[in-house]
Amino acid sequence: MRLDLKNLINYHDEQISSRFLSDKIGTSAPLTLYAFAANETISNEVSQLQKVFMVLEGQLQVSYATAEREEVATAGELIIVPANEAHNLKALTPCKYFQLELPSNN
């Protein structure tokens, strides 16, 4: 199976689009595609699973609530957020990314 991730999801003005892919590829691991219009955000969230964000297009900012720091990834880069780490997301430009959630080794 071959998937063109950037073309499986589209931008919509002033909103966040998402597409769940786990069923499509036959896995129980949460796999989701997102497309954010510029300046769209997701407020603080915490997961019991480690999150891997792979930016496909644009720029994604991840801010960590407890560490008071930020990371920015562009197309082709990953940001890994440890399990149980409070964080929020912001598209600095129109941004598409792939989110994978995995059990942590810790």
Side-chain angles (χ1 to χ4, degrees):
M1 174 185 292
R2 186 172 151 175
L3 300 172
D4 181 358
L5 296 176
K6 284 197 304 188
N7 290 317
L8 286 178
I9 195 159
N10 296 309
Y11 294 109
H12 298 285
D13 290 340
E14 299 180 18
Q15 60 181 292
I16 298 169
S17 301
S18 65
R19 183 169 183 187
F20 193 66
L21 295 178
S22 298
D23 295 339
K24 184 173 184 70
I25 64 171
T27 183
S28 60
L31 306 170
T32 311
L33 278 176
Y34 288 91
F36 281 30
N39 297 312
E40 290 298 321
T41 62
I42 292 180
S43 299
N44 278 347
E45 60 182 10
V46 177
S47 175
Q48 293 179 344
L49 299 173
Q50 175 177 253
K51 288 189 177 183
V52 178
F53 300 102
M54 179 178 183
V55 177
L56 305 170
E57 187 172 274
Q59 291 183 309
L60 178 68
Q61 175 181 293
V62 177
S63 299
Y64 299 90
T66 55
E68 296 183 10
R69 67 182 175 92
E70 298 174 348
E71 294 181 296
V72 175
T74 59
E77 295 181 327
L78 294 174
I79 292 180
I80 300 167
V81 176
N84 303 309
E85 179 84 31
H87 61 282
N88 59 62
L89 307 172
K90 180 178 182 178
L92 299 178
T93 64
C95 179
K96 292 182 181 181
Y97 69 91
F98 178 72
Q99 177 181 292
L100 171 62
E101 295 181 65
L102 300 169
S104 177
N105 288 334
N106 298 333

